[in-house]
Amino acid sequence: MIIQKYILVFLLLCIVSPSIAAQSINLEFEYLFNLTEGIEFGEPGYVIQPHRITTDSEGNIFVSDRQQLMIFKYHPDGSFAKQIGRSGRGPGEFNEITALTVDNENRLLVLDRMQFKVSRFNLTIGSVEEHLFEDQRQFNMMTLQSLPEERIAGIYVES
């Protein structure tokens, strides 16, 4: 049954692909700043292995560090603001930061798929809430997105 699904997808792609014309787009990039400029290795704010990035409505930048298992917050000008979370299994602690997003109230949402949880940080008042979801070995939650009315969308991939 699974093979039939892949064949169907492959055939649809073959049928649809020729009708899609490639268009070139013109993108311009502007260098803004180096997040670790002026920060020495090992100091707070020094990113070793950046992995995910998101911004809030105020222009703050959040970068997850895959090696250090924490998130760094930077002001819109690139200056370091604070560290969020750390390695571990408790509230506000991570085993694998899989996805980041910010909701409509500027709360930072962090998916840790190894611990089957979403952490929601209210940075204004310094609190963290966690939602644990059922350990379903046949599915991996790969990403999340904040939606209106306190809802979260996640993408599950069958393993």
Side-chain angles (χ1 to χ4, degrees), residues 12-35:
L12 288 175
L13 288 175
C14 291
I15 295 168
V16 174
S17 294
S19 65
I20 299 174
Q23 297 178 357
S24 63
I25 58 172
N26 184 17
L27 296 176
E28 293 183 26
F29 294 93
E30 178 183 347
Y31 175 81
L32 297 176
F33 46 75
N34 178 340
L35 289 178

Side-chain angles (χ1 to χ4, degrees), residues 54-62 73-76 101-108 123-124 146:
T54 192
T55 59
D56 65 15
S57 65
E58 297 170 359
N60 294 304
I61 303 161
F62 300 89
K73 177 184 177 183
Y74 300 91
H75 297 291
T101 191
V102 174
D103 69 13
N104 59 352
E105 294 184 27
N106 275 341
R107 295 175 297 193
L108 178 66
L123 301 176
T124 305
S146 175

